[in-house]
Amino acid sequence: MKVSFSLSVKALRWLLLSQLFIVAPLVLQLPIWLTILAFALIVWRFQLSRGLWYYPGRWLKVLVAVAVTAGLAATFRSFAMDAMVSLLVAGFVLKLTELRTRSDACLLSYLGYFVIGTQLLYTSGIIGAFYALVCVLLVSVTVMVNHAGGGNATVALRSLRTITIMLMQATPFMLVLFFVVPRVGSLWTVPLNNAAGTTGVSSSMSPGDFSSLMESSDVAFRATFEDEIPEPRQLYWRALVLDHFDGRTWTQSNPQDVKARGYVRWRDWQSQIEVSDKRYDYEILLEPTDENWLYALAAPTEFSRDVWMSRGMTLYQKNLVSQRQQYTVSSYPSYTVQAEGISDYLQRSSLQLPRNFNPYTRQLAKSWMAEAGSPEALIQRFLTFIENRFHYTLQPSVLGKHSIDEFLTDTRAGFCEHFAGSFVFFMRAAGIPARVVVGYQGGKVNPVQGYLTVRQLDAHAWAEVWLEAKGWVRVDPTFAVAPERIDRGVEFSLGNAGSQLLGDAWSRRFYVLANLRDRLDAFNYRWHIWVMNYDGEQQKAFMQRIFGDSAPWRIVVWVSGIFALIIAVLMLPGVWRKSRNRQPLIHRLYLRMCRYLSALGYQRHVGEGARDFALRVSRDNHELGALVLEASDLFERHVYQNQPISIPRLRLLVHKIKARRLLSPFR
Amino acid sequence: MRESVQNIIDEIGKVLLGKEPEIKLSLACLFANGHLLIEDLPGMGKTTLAHALAKVAGLQYQRVQFTSDMLPADVLGVSVFDASANQFSFHAGPVFTQVLLADEINRTTPKTQSALLEAMEERQVTVDGNTRPLPNPFFVIATQNPQSQMGTFPLPESQLDRFLMRISLGYPDQKAELALFKGGDSRRLIADLKTLVSPEALVETQNQIAQVQASDALLGYLQRLVHATRHDSQFAHGLSPRGALALLHAAKAWAYMHNRDYVIPEDIQAVLPSVVSHRVLAAGVPDSGQIEQLQQSVDILSVNG
């Protein structure tokens, strides 16, 4: 019997299909040229399998490999994760150029499993997880088809069935292992430099920043409140305080610099913030931002241990948020902060204005201040002024050097950043300490799960002024112009044409889609809370709840018990089937052997006795025949002589015959 | 006894060249205590087989050539008045022997045929109110010419049933025939054959064969076979219960000859054509693969245990 080691066309096509599925979601992370190369290689290999195209020469292969390596080096210049994944994918597809034998295909399939793993570095949603599972299924079928050496017409279908059953059988074990296997921290880390985290509120605000944010309906974070959700008017999610203006861009001045490795803690905040009235406890599930600041409602008083408060009363942590993260906060919407006074330094920085910018506004502010007499009156006058004469739009005119002058006198149309920026400028010009606060405003309650979803299009900027005896007071000039923006959401504050610019325009037009999106979002949320977020702490709590105690021996006993139970349940259908048809074990073993033999090309005829059949096999194949003869003899002695026989021996023989089936190329 | 089975076959094979399967079948028939019908043209070695079998088994041997004017008394024997003793004395016919070769049984009248067949079945002869047992063992080898030949009285199906097996010898193959030409006179050769079995040992063997085990699984297979003959339009008659028992008994003898004390399906299959064909096929219809087809269509392993 000759065993063929060459790769079957069928296995190759399965391999190409799985490669296509595996590489597809990684496309977003790969350099564009590598994507094109990958798909070109897959198409080329497919054409080659049809006999249309040719294998490349050795020098061409070397050239391509060198070129790809050089290309990767030029594109990334570092050993960040994206570079590593790209290298892996490059190897994964370049191997196609020298794929000839079955073992090559086997190797590539195994590599496929690894590449599937890298998919999960970029997604943590449930859809991504299921997609990865589909890829695993495809690769496994490839492995089986490849092992069968192509086989007959139904081999793919049979493999698919087998693998599906195997995956389903593995599921309960996966669940148990998920719950009990100790969570070990990562052994090494690769720096992330993916582009996914660059959307979101940034550390500076210049004209146009927000309008691009509003084109995105991506989720920024989700918040789950213990009790009720505060009114929309109270939902000001603070991220950063921007108090330095250079004439065009608002940035943080040093003291509140919330930046990785450059942050400053506000140590005595507890003595400077006074809270009263109702307290809200909530949990935030933050999408990766690649920044280190966190979001919270005003006057956060309690928060997780690794979270700190900045001088702007915003929260931050030391590390970048590079993956989904969960934290809990308690906030009081009624508060006073720094009512006793602010430091000279803070006062100075809150009055800072660039020279030689917006002379008209400065003058106007001074004259209005003189007329109004008090800061409160001045604020009121400014708000009335913009309320009557300004309107809210996402398509403001382009502003020149004296942007605020132009905005206040000429264009008079803009959105939050214009209103907040000009308000703060105006106040500072009038001598009132003021600052810009950026973050999100509002959010949408998910009707399915009852949590609040805050998306990028909810990005917002507002202002705070410092008033004697009142401390920092929030003033939102946008509210004066477009109150519905605050009360109902940004999509209700724009005209029909304007709201088309928002990121989620398409889904708002179709109710069904919106509903579907809510459900999917709720599902994803639960997935994260229950699955992705199951860490060492949760595990410990879970074990204590279930097993009463997290002593290792107890867990071992329980887990063995659960495993035994699962195996018993999995075997139940077999036991049931056995009791249903009274085919004795020996008969079934014999019939199984006959099935394996027929796969080897020896079909027992219906009217052929065991001994005759065995002799026929042994005439053709002596080695195999010896096994079959012994098995038939055992069968015969049991069935016709009514003698006790060694069933394990029979089983062993049947298994040996099965093993030979796997080796055989003829199936 | 078991050990000598092959010796017996070899010994008979010395005179009946190249016919080992037929020798085995006839030996099985003898061991199963049944009667054998050989259907063949003249001169094919029927007599030689019968003679050799008797000689090797150490049995008495008689031959009756049936003709159309033969009467039952010519076979069974007759009571003759013995004047000296002043009483009837019984002159035993040729049937009172251990091996009877009934040559060309279809040449004689049904009356004579049935007299012989009754004796075969009853293993006793009743003449003038006196019942006389036949010797034990008692083995009849009947031969008949194929029915296409003129002037014959074909045996009715009911009487064919009395024969455990029907075989035909057929022409020898090339090699056997050449050897036959070279060899000497078969009669002298038969006389030189060694007697390997005693009649007592044969009876003992026959008793032992009755003890051969047939498991439930095997009886299930037998039943399926029998059932198939009854529901297949190819066969003129279904296999009777007696026919089924005959099949089982022949299979037991076959198993015994192969040194087993249990029957396997292959035993049944080995004897199936010779035991079954004359029982299920209409008279005069040759076996043209129907039995082979039957054997192939019935599953050895039952679906439900």
Side-chain angles (χ1 to χ4, degrees):
Chain A
M1 219 182 279
K2 194 174 121 305
V3 177
S4 152
F5 292 108
S6 67
L7 176 64
S8 72
V9 171
K10 194 176 287 174
L12 175 68
R13 293 197 178 158
W14 273 97
L15 181 64
L16 292 178
L17 183 72
S18 358
Q19 277 197 321
L20 212 57
F21 266 76
I22 293 170
V23 175
L26 291 170
V27 161
L28 290 173
Q29 330 299 339
L30 300 177
I32 182 85
W33 58 267
L34 184 58
T35 305
I36 294 169
L37 180 75
F39 288 113
L41 276 168
I42 291 172
V43 169
W44 165 78
R45 196 64 180 81
F46 179 73
Q47 293 291 68
L48 196 143
S49 80
R50 298 171 62 201
L52 294 181
W53 296 357
Y54 303 97
Y55 275 106
R58 193 198 317 176
W59 287 109
L60 183 61
K61 276 194 280 187
V62 170
L63 197 72
V64 171
V66 170
V68 167
T69 315
L72 285 176
T75 311
F76 290 103
R77 296 167 188 283
S78 73
F79 286 107
M81 192 175 77
D82 278 358
M84 287 300 153
V85 171
S86 299
L87 188 65
L88 189 64
V89 170
F92 188 47
V93 291
L94 279 176
K95 179 72 185 164
L96 284 176
T97 59
E98 49 171 30
L99 188 75
R100 282 168 196 272
T101 65
R102 276 214 257 170
S103 57
D104 287 344
C106 194
L107 183 81
L108 205 52
S109 304
Y110 294 159
L111 186 62
Y113 287 116
F114 196 75
V115 182
I116 292 170
T118 64
Q119 284 179 4
L120 299 176
L121 294 173
Y122 297 105
T123 171
S124 54
I126 190 160
I127 294 181
F130 271 99
Y131 186 87
L133 214 57
V134 169
C135 292
V136 167
L137 189 77
L138 282 173
V139 176
S140 306
V141 171
T142 307
V143 170
M144 260 192 93
V145 172
N146 183 43
H147 203 96
N152 53 26
T154 61
V155 66
L157 219 63
R158 279 189 291 133
S159 309
L160 194 64
R161 192 166 154 264
T162 311
I163 299 288
T164 311
I165 291 173
M166 279 168 71
L167 283 181
M168 287 198 300
Q169 285 175 336
T171 309
F173 293 98
M174 178 191 80
L175 289 177
V176 173
L177 292 176
F178 170 78
F179 281 117
V180 302
V181 165
R183 293 294 189 276
V184 182
S186 48
L187 295 175
W188 76 96
T189 50
V190 179
L192 286 154
N193 64 345
N194 56 348
T198 54
T199 56
V201 171
S202 66
S203 60
S204 66
M205 179 181 89
S206 44
D209 283 357
F210 276 71
S211 58
S212 65
L213 265 185
M214 286 180 183
E215 284 163 14
S216 158
S217 66
D218 289 348
V219 172
F221 59 88
R222 300 178 178 89
T224 315
F225 285 86
E226 291 276 283
D227 307 311
E228 74 218 80
I229 299 177
E231 283 179 22
R233 235 172 250 224
Q234 290 179 331
L235 291 174
Y236 282 88
W237 303 98
R238 298 167 75 89
L240 284 177
V241 166
L242 308 179
D243 56 357
H244 183 266
F245 187 54
D246 65 357
R248 180 145 200 97
T249 306
W250 288 90
T251 50
Q252 304 180 94
S253 67
N254 245 352
Q256 284 102 353
D257 204 3
V258 177
K259 192 85 188 151
R261 293 181 292 276
Y263 40 80
V264 177
R265 273 173 65 185
W266 187 11
R267 287 173 198 283
D268 49 354
W269 61 271
Q270 266 148 328
S271 64
Q272 298 193 35
I273 297 178
E274 279 176 36
V275 293
S276 59
D277 207 20
K278 189 159 170 52
R279 179 175 124 162
Y280 290 97
D281 299 325
Y282 51 97
E283 191 172 54
I284 287 185
L285 178 63
L286 183 62
E287 298 293 316
T289 58
D290 249 15
E291 305 285 3
N292 70 322
W293 55 81
L294 306 174
Y295 299 88
L297 293 175
T301 54
E302 280 169 41
F303 30 84
S304 315
R305 215 171 338 140
D306 299 333
V307 176
W308 314 104
M309 194 183 298
S310 76
R311 297 210 179 209
M313 208 169 65
T314 62
L315 299 185
Y316 66 89
Q317 62 176 25
K318 292 187 177 177
N319 299 319
L320 299 182
V321 181
S322 55
Q323 49 187 311
R324 269 195 196 179
Q325 190 175 326
Q326 207 169 3
Y327 57 94
T328 53
V329 188
S330 300
S331 294
Y332 288 86
S334 343
Y335 63 91
T336 55
V337 54
Q338 292 176 320
E340 284 86 26
I342 48 175
S343 66
D344 287 351
Y345 182 87
L346 193 55
Q347 180 141 17
R348 267 206 309 284
S349 69
S350 300
L351 286 170
Q352 170 271 339
L353 285 176
R355 290 171 200 275
N356 309 325
F357 277 98
N358 305 314
Y360 170 77
T361 308
R362 285 182 176 227
Q363 205 184 356
L364 188 70
K366 281 194 184 106
S367 67
W368 281 18
M369 183 62 193
E371 289 166 29
S374 73
E376 284 88 347
L378 179 70
I379 292 166
Q380 198 49 51
R381 182 168 175 187
F382 185 86
L383 291 181
T384 317
F385 167 66
I386 58 170
E387 182 183 347
N388 295 335
R389 312 239 175 125
F390 287 65
H391 70 272
Y392 187 77
T393 175
L394 283 186
Q395 293 160 290
S397 315
V398 178
L399 300 170
K401 183 191 174 194
H402 301 296
S403 54
I404 293 168
D405 279 4
E406 285 173 37
F407 177 68
L408 290 182
T409 58
D410 196 10
T411 64
R412 296 196 170 179
F415 49 95
C416 56
E417 66 184 39
H418 299 93
F419 292 109
S422 44
F423 178 80
V424 171
F425 189 94
F426 197 89
M427 288 301 128
R428 286 186 175 185
I432 303 166
R435 59 194 188 186
V436 172
V437 186
V438 291
Y440 296 93
Q441 201 285 319
K444 205 169 158 193
V445 178
N446 184 297
V448 186
Q449 251 335 58
Y451 58 83
L452 197 73
T453 308
V454 177
R455 288 172 292 161
Q456 299 299 352
L457 53 82
D458 293 317
H460 192 54
W462 61 94
E464 275 181 341
V465 290
W466 188 82
L467 301 175
E468 203 77 46
K470 290 185 180 169
W472 290 103
V473 175
R474 182 176 66 222
V475 179
D476 188 356
T478 314
F479 179 69
V481 181
E484 62 280 359
R485 158 72 183 84
I486 309 304
D487 287 339
R488 299 181 61 193
V490 65
E491 57 265 45
F492 297 98
S493 63
L494 298 161
N496 218 351
S499 65
Q500 294 304 318
L501 296 170
L502 290 174
D504 64 343
W506 60 274
S507 73
R508 265 178 299 111
R509 227 180 298 163
F510 304 101
Y511 172 74
V512 179
L513 283 181
N515 189 15
L516 213 65
R517 198 189 55 185
D518 284 342
R519 284 186 180 280
L520 182 66
D521 197 61
F523 209 64
N524 244 329
Y525 177 71
R526 260 176 290 180
W527 170 258
H528 188 91
I529 296 291
W530 294 112
V531 180
M532 302 307 290
N533 202 43
Y534 185 79
D535 56 11
E537 295 270 313
Q538 295 227 14
Q539 188 178 38
K540 211 168 156 189
F542 173 80
M543 302 262 215
Q544 262 167 0
R545 212 165 55 236
I546 299 290
F547 306 125
D549 168 6
S550 60
W553 70 269
R554 261 174 177 259
I555 291 165
V556 167
V557 168
W558 271 98
V559 169
S560 335
I562 292 172
F563 270 10
L565 198 71
I566 293 170
I567 292 170
V569 168
L570 285 178
M571 284 172 68
L572 212 60
V575 173
W576 184 72
R577 208 163 39 212
K578 190 163 142 194
S579 65
R580 281 258 306 175
N581 75 29
R582 297 189 304 277
Q583 194 92 310
L585 175 67
I586 309 276
H587 274 71
R588 276 188 287 116
L589 276 173
Y590 183 76
L591 287 173
R592 199 185 304 165
M593 181 188 83
C594 288
R595 273 204 305 282
Y596 298 148
L597 284 170
S598 89
L600 281 164
Y602 303 105
Q603 178 71 48
R604 187 186 73 88
H605 310 309
V606 170
E608 193 172 22
R611 179 171 296 208
D612 283 350
F613 179 46
L615 287 169
R616 182 158 66 89
V617 173
S618 105
R619 270 195 301 277
D620 191 65
N621 181 338
H622 192 75
E623 232 175 295
L624 180 66
L627 296 173
V628 183
L629 272 173
E630 192 185 340
S632 300
D633 189 54
L634 286 171
F635 172 75
E636 205 172 69
R637 274 200 284 140
H638 181 269
V639 172
Y640 301 114
Q641 201 182 4
N642 293 334
Q643 291 291 311
I645 61 155
S646 157
I647 289 179
R649 177 69 192 159
L650 182 56
R651 247 185 231 286
L652 180 70
L653 288 165
V654 173
H655 273 277
K656 279 185 178 170
I657 290 164
K658 181 184 180 182
R660 298 183 68 90
R661 178 193 68 151
L662 289 175
L663 290 175
S664 161
F666 307 110
R667 297 190 60 183
Chain B
M1 187 69 211
R2 287 165 188 246
E3 311 72 53
S4 53
V5 166
Q6 192 56 47
N7 295 341
I8 294 170
I9 294 165
D10 292 343
E11 197 68 18
I12 299 173
K14 285 180 187 166
V15 291
L16 194 67
L17 299 161
K19 291 286 168 210
E20 191 177 316
E22 288 77 10
I23 295 169
K24 274 175 86 171
L25 278 172
S26 50
L27 197 61
C29 195
L30 173 64
F31 284 168
N33 204 6
H35 305 293
L36 179 67
L37 177 65
I38 303 178
E39 202 173 81
D40 228 327
L41 295 165
M44 305 293 271
K46 297 182 291 250
T47 316
T48 311
L49 174 61
H51 214 148
L53 212 56
K55 169 81 179 158
V56 170
L59 301 174
Q60 297 170 317
Y61 171 75
Q62 287 280 355
R63 173 180 173 168
V64 180
Q65 180 68 46
F66 282 74
T67 57
S68 56
D69 57 355
M70 218 173 198
L71 292 173
D74 295 331
V75 179
L76 303 181
V78 67
S79 294
V80 177
F81 187 76
D82 185 349
S84 63
N86 199 18
Q87 63 175 10
F88 282 94
S89 71
F90 181 70
H91 285 232
V95 76
F96 287 88
T97 182
Q98 286 172 316
V99 174
L100 175 71
L101 174 63
D103 229 350
E104 303 200 73
I105 193 172
N106 58 341
R107 291 240 172 253
T108 192
T109 55
K111 193 177 181 181
T112 311
Q113 286 174 356
S114 68
L116 172 67
L117 293 164
E118 214 176 303
M120 282 161 56
E121 180 67 18
E122 308 291 330
R123 290 173 190 269
Q124 62 188 18
V125 169
T126 305
V127 176
D128 300 337
N130 290 323
T131 300
R132 294 176 173 81
L134 293 173
N136 190 24
F138 174 64
F139 182 51
V140 174
I141 302 176
T143 71
Q144 70 176 1
N145 287 328
Q147 265 116 48
S148 57
Q149 299 214 346
M150 297 289 284
T152 59
F153 299 92
L155 287 171
E157 281 105 355
S158 61
Q159 297 191 334
L160 280 174
D161 199 30
R162 305 281 160 87
F163 292 97
L164 178 62
M165 291 187 190
R166 177 178 74 173
I167 61 172
S168 77
L169 291 171
Y171 298 112
D173 60 26
Q174 202 180 353
K175 202 173 122 195
E177 198 147 35
L178 281 172
L180 183 72
F181 298 159
K182 284 181 194 161
D185 177 24
S186 71
R187 303 218 181 270
R188 196 177 49 75
L189 286 173
I190 289 172
D192 291 346
L193 288 180
K194 287 196 285 275
T195 296
L196 296 172
V197 197
S198 66
E200 295 72 34
L202 184 63
V203 171
E204 176 58 25
T205 298
Q206 287 174 344
N207 291 337
Q208 279 179 10
I209 283 169
Q211 306 295 320
V212 169
Q213 186 184 353
S215 71
D216 291 348
L218 183 98
L219 296 180
Y221 174 56
L222 177 67
Q223 208 281 324
R224 285 195 295 280
L225 267 179
V226 171
H227 183 82
T229 64
R230 293 170 188 168
H231 292 83
D232 192 333
S233 57
Q234 291 193 63
F235 303 116
H237 324 280
L239 197 62
S240 65
R242 183 164 67 190
L245 283 173
L247 181 58
L248 178 61
H249 204 64
K252 283 182 175 179
W254 194 264
Y256 177 87
M257 285 166 62
H258 290 83
N259 227 348
R260 263 183 283 110
D261 55 2
Y262 56 94
V263 186
I264 61 173
E266 283 88 338
D267 297 329
I268 291 187
Q269 291 178 349
V271 298
L272 186 73
S274 51
V275 174
V276 163
S277 72
H278 60 289
R279 295 171 207 261
V280 296
L281 297 174
V285 176
D287 176 7
S288 52
Q290 294 99 315
I291 304 295
E292 174 75 21
Q293 216 172 349
L294 168 75
Q295 182 184 320
Q296 282 179 4
S297 66
V298 176
D299 195 353
I300 291 195
L301 306 166
S302 66
V303 182
N304 290 311

